[in-house]
Amino acid sequence: MKGPRTFRAPGRVNLIGEHTDYNLGFVLPIALHLSTYVETSPSPDGLLRISSEFRNITLSWAPEETATLEPRKQWTDYVAGVARELALLGVPLEALELKIRSDVPEGSGLSSSAALEVSSALAFLQGREFDRLELARLCQRAETGFVGLPSGIMDQYVSLFGQPRAAIRIDCRSLEHITVTLPDDVQIIAINSMVKHELGASAYRIRVQECAIASEAMGVASLRDATLAMILKTPMPGEVRKRARHVVTENLRVESFVEAAAAGDLARMGQLFVESHRSMQQDYAITADEVDFLVDEAITKEGCYGARMTGGGFGGCTVNLVAPAAVDAFEQAMRDAYKQRFNIDPNIFRCIPGPGAAEITK
Ligand code: GLA
């Protein structure tokens, strides 16, 4: 009998390019050290079984029935959805026990779900060759088709293709990426607001629809092909126009940010962060009082170049660019301010870009 094997997949922080992925635009995430780990061992009773350190609910099924699994509206759907997609491709699944643990905080906008999907996918594959891009798409299908959220490809992609000490700029139309080295003299700090407003999933769906309406009005296949001039001259509802404006300007900001990073222009990088946040706040309407406060407060602090909400929205984390020498004071000041305003202790993470998913069996 073979010994246990462990597979790791990271969460992510998106630096810039929010809600652009399902519009086939650009995103610039980093993979994190915070990760989900799946330990596998042969199952004693011929069933596939999944359990999590933090959850009571477990799930087991006969491997040959994987293709007929149905969603249950619980955490196991992320794993079962991946298993089902693999089975539908004809990948035979072994009878395994999957034990899952994670240090990616849930509901924080750091993509605990993609980390779970990708680590499970590697666990089911047990080291078998599988094209990484196809695996990212498969995990995305598990989320859109089984879990039921019409999300883009960013989270699964960066969980698989993340790079140590660099961000990746993904072109969500060609599905190619380039490595973007970040200046050394800046620290990426994620601050978890510890709130996630219920609205999140339904609002996400509505935004996806609004973007489709805008594309249709302008006669383009996706907002990737839209310009500000087209948005101005095409008749469409006011809200829809604002959503389209966010997406088009956000794509431009990703490109400007990549240029600023190459030039080591931290002031410009920070300015683009704040512009991105304002666009999410005013045009895309996906922020929340707590994250708006964290951004407004952060940008008054010594050594902070810029701040913005990261991830799907309605709470979760902000991401901040901070001069290394100012980090300790920045973190303390942010803790104090947030506690005083909302009586909540935020979790703060110093983010170091890490590698993409892999087996880490010792
Ligand atoms: C969620 C989705 C991603 C992306 C972001 C917003 O994390 O899973 O695909 O759309 O929101 O940028």
Side-chain angles (χ1 to χ4, degrees):
M1 188 167 103
K2 280 184 274 167
R5 302 175 73 164
T6 307
F7 302 84
R8 163 195 172 268
R12 59 106 186 90
V13 162
N14 187 24
L15 294 184
I16 195 161
E18 219 65 80
H19 287 262
T20 45
D21 61 352
Y22 55 81
N23 290 299
L24 307 189
F26 300 110
V27 293
L28 187 73
I30 58 172
L32 293 175
H33 51 290
L34 300 171
S35 300
T36 298
Y37 301 87
V38 182
E39 190 189 278
T40 65
S41 47
S43 159
D45 57 7
L47 295 180
L48 254 161
R49 180 171 294 102
I50 56 182
S51 63
S52 161
E53 200 175 74
F54 308 110
R55 309 282 196 153
N56 292 328
I57 298 170
T58 61
L59 186 70
S60 58
W61 70 92
E64 59 278 12
E65 284 165 11
T66 305
T68 62
L69 286 171
E70 295 282 346
R72 294 173 174 233
K73 304 277 168 235
Q74 60 190 33
W75 76 272
T76 54
D77 285 353
Y78 294 97
V79 186
V82 167
R84 182 169 169 273
E85 288 298 330
L86 285 166
L88 290 175
L89 288 182
V91 177
L93 301 189
E94 295 168 36
L96 294 169
E97 294 229 31
L98 274 66
K99 291 200 179 115
I100 298 161
R101 69 192 158 83
S102 183
D103 48 31
V104 190
E106 260 177 64
S108 60
L110 301 183
S111 203
S112 56
S113 48
L116 178 55
E117 290 153 8
V118 171
S119 54
S120 303
L122 293 185
F124 288 127
L125 285 169
Q126 291 287 295
R128 267 169 290 180
E129 289 273 316
F130 201 99
D131 181 77
R132 286 207 155 217
L133 181 56
E134 284 312 313
L135 201 56
R137 298 169 78 148
L138 181 148
C139 290
Q140 184 199 11
R141 284 203 300 281
E143 185 143 341
T144 56
F146 199 80
V147 178
L149 196 71
S151 54
I153 187 91
M154 165 169 67
D155 305 341
Q156 295 83 3
Y157 194 115
V158 66
S159 189
L160 279 153
F161 289 97
Q163 302 257 340
R165 290 176 298 281
I168 60 171
R169 195 222 56 173
I170 308 167
D171 176 337
C172 298
R173 182 162 62 187
S174 70
L175 295 180
E176 289 165 348
H177 69 274
I178 55 169
T179 302
V180 175
T181 309
L182 302 165
D184 282 336
D185 48 348
V186 67
Q187 175 79 57
I188 300 164
I189 307 283
I191 305 182
N192 190 351
S193 68
M194 318 300 280
V195 298
K196 181 76 189 170
H197 296 287
E198 277 306 313
L199 220 62
S202 57
Y204 193 97
R205 280 193 193 88
I206 294 170
R207 295 296 174 276
V208 172
Q209 285 163 9
E210 287 169 330
C211 290
I213 294 169
S215 300
E216 203 180 312
M218 288 183 280
V220 290
S222 73
L223 289 181
R224 168 68 176 270
D225 295 318
T227 62
L228 281 176
M230 291 162 80
I231 292 172
L232 275 177
K233 70 166 197 247
T234 308
M236 59 180 108
E239 300 278 275
V240 170
R241 187 186 310 279
K242 282 161 72 179
R243 310 301 184 240
R245 186 167 62 189
H246 164 74
V247 173
V248 169
T249 57
E250 185 76 352
N251 278 329
L252 296 171
R253 281 188 288 271
V254 175
E255 295 304 76
S256 302
F257 189 92
V258 169
E259 282 166 26
D265 188 346
L266 289 162
R268 176 78 182 129
M269 290 163 70
Q271 185 187 24
L272 289 160
F273 259 39
V274 178
E275 284 173 18
S276 169
H277 187 81
R278 297 298 171 224
S279 180
M280 290 191 286
Q281 186 177 9
Q282 291 153 14
D283 277 355
Y284 223 61
I286 50 162
T287 63
D289 288 349
E290 293 86 350
V291 285
D292 290 338
F293 175 84
L294 284 173
V295 167
D296 291 340
E297 195 67 22
I299 58 179
T300 67
K301 301 282 175 279
E302 180 86 33
C304 177
Y305 296 103
R308 58 182 287 282
M309 184 188 75
T310 184
F314 298 95
C317 284
T318 61
V319 54
N320 303 262
L321 297 176
V322 183
V327 164
D328 289 340
F330 174 78
E331 290 182 352
Q332 194 54 52
M334 292 303 295
R335 273 184 217 290
D336 294 347
Y338 197 59
K339 175 87 181 175
Q340 196 185 8
R341 172 71 178 78
F342 292 101
N343 199 24
I344 300 176
D345 289 312
N347 279 345
I348 303 187
F349 309 97
R350 298 184 185 186
C351 304
I352 299 173
E359 179 169 10
I360 56 158
T361 306
K362 294 207 179 75

